[in-house]
Each structure stands twice: as structure tokens, then as C-alpha cells.
Amino acid sequence: MKNPFSFLIIILASLFFISCTKTQMNGSPLKGGGLSANVNPDVPQCNPGQHWDYYLRKCVDNCPTGYHNDSITGACVVDGGSTYISVITNPNNPYDYSGSQHNDGVNSIFPTLNLSTNNLDSVILVDVKSYLGSIGYSADSFQTFYGQAVQNGYLPFSHLQELDSLGNTLNANGVLSTYGNSYVQQIYNYAYQYLNTDTITTAKYNSFANNLITIEATIKNDSRISSWEKEVILASCSNGRYSAAYWGNYINGQSTSGPNSVNPLFLKKLRNWMRFVIADIGGALVAVSSDIHSFWAILGVSVGTSVSAAAGFTY
């Protein structure tokens, strides 16, 4: 009969060999001498031009040279820190949706606009009508109003008066009350105080936006102005808050509006921030001259003057 102890030794030796083999398989050495990396099954496959950010736990865009992914939003921002401006909304403004629709309109038109075309105003008009139609407003009605505004000297888009002058002109023509014009002059003064600067910061934006909200509260309760005039000025304030954030981020190179999101020419002309914003506010204000009191007049002109102002500064 064989020695039982010898048989036990053979069994233990076999188990030890199998254990060593499994260990080698689980950590098989690579050519470089290290262990193979374990693949994390929870990391999704990102689209071309993107990579997985382990900190944000989402796919983010691959940034060009001189930019990096912001640690909060994941957007590509200029090296040196994030100064991303978040819109300050006002739920007490019944027309606060105007600013959001304004930014959507600008973002749908400007990145694809052919800036080298002749008669840019006509091209922008076609694009504005298309945008208005896409969200349920009458493109034909806006065409009629635009033509009247041109005849009255308030437009085309590229010839909008500066906001303070526009308020005075509308008041002199009897379509904007003296009380309404006083609000317009206050808005212009805040834009000049906070946005006419070479350095765009969230602090300056916040001061501008919060002062507008203070004005909005007064306008909302002002019984001296008509309901239409009140709607136009409140929508203009909303456009100002949203527009200032949009163009501030654009100029700072932090826009997320697609392949044309950062135009290097803008980065050399930072003082344009105020010009864009007062063009957006002034465009909305032109609607006060409309005989047909409809929101599409506010939105359409504001989008058109915004895009026109931006296009003008790219030459």
C-alpha cells in the first residue's frame, strides 16, 4: 500500500501550482515590465473629438492649444482660469423668457453666417424670419414691421442708434413715454458703468444684471406707462441680462456654440462687450414703435441687431 503522506504531498503541490498559475494570469507582465491595466467597464466610449473626464465623469471636448476643460462645466476655456458667466434670471419678470429666446436665436444664426456677403442686413433678415417661423411666430408679419421700422429710420439692423440716443428719438417721435425713456437712460448708464471695460468678469456682469433686476421691479409696478411699453422694456432688460452673459463668454473664449464658438478677432476687441449688449437691448426697444403689439417684434429685431453688431466687429 502506498504511503498516504506521499499522496497528500502530491495533492498540496498541485494546488500550489494551480494557485500560482491563476495569479500570473490575473497580473500578466507586459513587455515593459509592468502589469496589464484593468479596463473599467463603467467608462463609456466617447464620440470622436472627445475624451472621458474622470473627475467630471462625462465625455468632454478635446480642447485646442491654449484652452483646457473647465473643472465645473467641462467646456473649453482659455488657459489661466475660468471666468464663465452664468445668466442671472429674474422669475419676477413676466417676460424673462425673452432673453433665453434671444440667445437661442443668435446662437442659431451667427455661427453659420457668411460674413463676407454683400447686403448683410438682407441676409440676416432672412435668417431672423426663418428662426421666428421655427418657433411659431409669423415671418411675414415681421417682414412688414421691419419694413416700417426702416422707413421710420430706426433700422436696418446695421444702422441702429446707440441706446441712449434711440430712447430720445423714440420719445421725440411720441412712441416712448418720458417715463419709459428715463428707464432706458438708466439701463444705458448701467451698461456704460459695468460693461464698457477691457476686462470681462463675472463680478461686473453680476453688478450689471442685478441693477437691471432692480429697475425691472420698478417698471413692473409703474402705472404711468402702458402695458405694451412695459412689456417692451421688461423684455429689453431680460435680453440685456442674457445677452451680456452670452457675449461675455463668447469674447472670453468660453462659448459652447459649436465650431465657430471662439473667434480670435473678438479676443482683441474686448470693449465690444457693451456694444453688443446695448444693440440687443436697443433692438428690442424698437418694437415699441410697432402698431401691432406682438412679442415677435421684440424678439426679431433684437436678434437681428445682435447678430449685425457682432458681424460688424469681425471685419
Side-chain angles (χ1 to χ4, degrees):
M1 183 175 181
K2 293 184 179 179
N3 189 338
F5 292 102
S6 299
F7 181 74
L8 179 60
I9 291 173
I10 293 173
I11 293 176
L12 292 175
S14 299
L15 291 174
F16 180 79
F17 177 79
I18 293 172
S19 176
C20 290
T21 303
K22 286 184 177 180
T23 300
Q24 186 178 14
M25 290 176 64
N26 290 337
S28 56
L30 299 175
K31 291 182 179 180
L35 296 179
S36 62
N38 293 328
V39 177
N40 186 349
D42 296 328
V43 177
Q45 182 68 36
C46 296
N47 293 326
Q50 293 187 320
H51 66 274
W52 179 256
D53 188 300
Y54 287 91
Y55 177 77
L56 297 174
R57 297 191 61 79
K58 66 178 182 179
C59 291
V60 296
D61 293 337
N62 297 333
C63 298
T65 302
Y67 294 82
H68 65 275
N69 295 108
D70 179 68
S71 61
I72 297 176
T73 65
C76 290
V77 298
V78 177
D79 288 342
S82 172
T83 56
Y84 185 80
I85 299 171
S86 298
V87 174
I88 295 180
T89 62
N90 181 11
N92 294 318
N93 182 339
Y95 306 103
D96 203 46
Y97 59 86
S98 179
S100 178
Q101 290 190 343
H102 164 272
N103 283 7
D104 288 344
V106 172
N107 202 40
S108 70
I109 295 174
F110 185 65
T112 59
L113 189 66
N114 181 3
L115 301 178
S116 63
T117 186
N118 295 325
N119 203 355
L120 195 59
D121 282 315
S122 296
V123 174
I124 294 174
L125 176 59
V126 171
D127 290 340
V128 169
K129 288 166 56 181
S130 177
Y131 169 67
L132 292 176
S134 71
I135 58 176
Y137 295 115
S138 172
D140 291 337
S141 295
F142 180 75
Q143 172 81 57
T144 300
F145 166 65
Y146 181 83
Q148 292 173 346
V150 170
Q151 290 181 354
N152 292 330
Y154 305 129
L155 297 174
F157 299 126
S158 60
H159 287 79
L160 181 74
Q161 294 182 57
E162 193 155 317
L163 183 59
D164 56 338
S165 299
L166 177 62
N168 291 332
T169 298
L170 292 169
N171 174 244
N173 291 344
V175 293
L176 178 68
S177 70
T178 300
Y179 303 112
N181 188 32
S182 68
Y183 291 124
V184 173
Q185 301 306 319
Q186 289 180 60
I187 294 167
Y188 175 81
N189 289 337
Y190 284 131
Y192 190 88
Q193 180 178 355
Y194 296 110
L195 307 184
N196 188 36
T197 173
D198 289 329
T199 306
I200 296 174
T201 66
T202 55
K204 291 173 181 176
Y205 168 80
N206 291 346
S207 295
F208 172 70
N210 286 326
N211 275 289
L212 287 194
I213 289 176
T214 300
I215 293 177
E216 290 165 41
T218 305
I219 296 171
K220 184 179 176 181
N221 297 315
D222 194 338
S223 59
R224 300 171 302 175
I225 58 179
S226 68
S227 58
W228 172 238
E229 190 170 312
K230 187 175 296 187
E231 178 180 347
V232 170
I233 302 176
L234 286 174
S236 298
C237 288
S238 174
N239 286 8
R241 284 184 282 106
Y242 279 78
S243 167
Y246 181 93
W247 289 117
N249 288 329
Y250 192 104
I251 296 169
N252 273 347
Q254 298 189 41
S255 175
T256 56
S257 58
N260 287 344
S261 60
V262 180
N263 186 328
L265 292 175
F266 277 54
L267 305 180
K268 299 178 182 179
K269 301 179 179 180
L270 301 185
R271 197 174 289 274
N272 291 347
W273 192 22
M274 171 185 158
R275 301 303 172 189
F276 301 147
V277 177
I278 62 174
D280 298 355
I281 297 172
L285 188 63
V286 167
V288 78
S289 67
S290 172
D291 294 331
I292 303 174
H293 298 170
S294 297
F295 175 73
W296 47 256
I298 300 172
L299 179 62
V301 179
S302 182
V303 170
T305 52
S306 181
V307 172
S308 177
F313 282 115
T314 61
Y315 292 123

